[in-house]
Amino acid sequence: MNKTILRLPAMKQIGAMGLIALFFSCKGETKKQETTAMPQETEKRIQLVSNEADKMVEVMIDGKLFTSYRYPDNIKKPVLYPLVTPAGTKITRKFPLEPSTGERVDHPHHVGVWFNYGDVNGLDFWNNSDSIIVEDRDKYGTIVHKTIEAVEDGDEQGVLRVKMDWNTPGGTTLIEEKTTFVFKGEGSVYSIDRMTTLTAIAEDVLFKDNKEGMLGIRVTRALELPSDKPTIFTDANGNPTPVAVLDNEGVNGNYINAEGVEGLDTWGKRSNWVNLYSHIGDEKIALAILDHKSNVGYPTYWHSRGYGLFAANPLGQAVFSDGKEELNFQLKKGESTTFKHRIVVANGELAPQDLNAMFEAFSAQ
């Protein structure tokens, strides 16, 4: 109901004497009828539209889709999908949620934007998908959406608060996750802040050093780095995944980090941020992930692959340092930690000095 309808019953209750009193003074003289304009509610620039039937919350900026928080039953964690530039171009891979042509179909667990890890008390949350054979599913954990805690529209930002459970194959909740997403956007630059608090629920929780984590994005073909050879990647459980050679026409992606390191050399390096930039036709596109100084394992290592996987992993230190470092981060039962990341989606270029300024401002929050 709108507010006008809600006020109608109250108007019906005004008696005859009350109506007369609106127009006549106690001396019987006619009074000027005073009208007060009711304030008009204007739509907020950034709107979050909940759709429980389709299990999603759409994020609209100035009437255009930016992204959606999705929690369907056919993937093993909630995700943000798609990511859309301010000019309206989708930059996340469509597979496996939408039919597509000319895209890779490897790693079916790489869906949109997600947050999980490859070794939590021996369970692999990162690689889980419906493609895992039944006999092996006891090795994988699932993140289950529980509730939407808050949805807030705004002119400066929109806020979504959600709760999830990190569950064992038997349904025991190892970790309770509470995440706040803050969506902003104006002109040619949009952003997402993801603040994720993880609490050990059933027992102590060990995040054993592992290359597969934590905040990941799988990008569309044009943002990949050109490649002229097939590759096979092996996950923590020893499962090989071939990545085939595709036509490189229109494939223009490149990484650069805060230290000026570029391309595939950003993989396994620590840095405050990494920027993946490319163009689709005449549209220049930049996609950056920013770390936060308060995060465990800061500054994060980067799991930046040429085939379109772009991830920040602060907990895989033994892998990325060739054994020179080790973290094996642990939460005792009842303990919590919070990870903060910012994702920036822009049309045009993101200069290093601008990203440095964004990083410092974000880390001050």
Side-chain angles (χ1 to χ4, degrees), residues 51-84:
N51 182 341
E52 293 185 8
D54 291 334
K55 297 187 175 181
M56 71 169 67
V57 179
E58 293 181 305
V59 181
M60 313 294 292
I61 298 181
D62 294 324
K64 300 184 295 183
L65 179 68
F66 174 31
T67 190
S68 298
Y69 172 76
R70 300 197 181 201
Y71 48 101
D73 295 329
N74 63 334
I75 55 178
K76 302 303 182 183
K77 69 273 186 177
V79 300
L80 296 179
Y81 176 87
L83 279 185
V84 184

Side-chain angles (χ1 to χ4, degrees), residues 75 77 93 95-96 105-111 128-129 131 241:
I75 55 178
K77 69 273 186 177
R93 181 179 69 164
F95 176 81
V105 292
D106 57 84
H107 299 86
H109 50 279
H110 291 173
V111 185
N128 198 5
S129 75
S131 299
T241 302

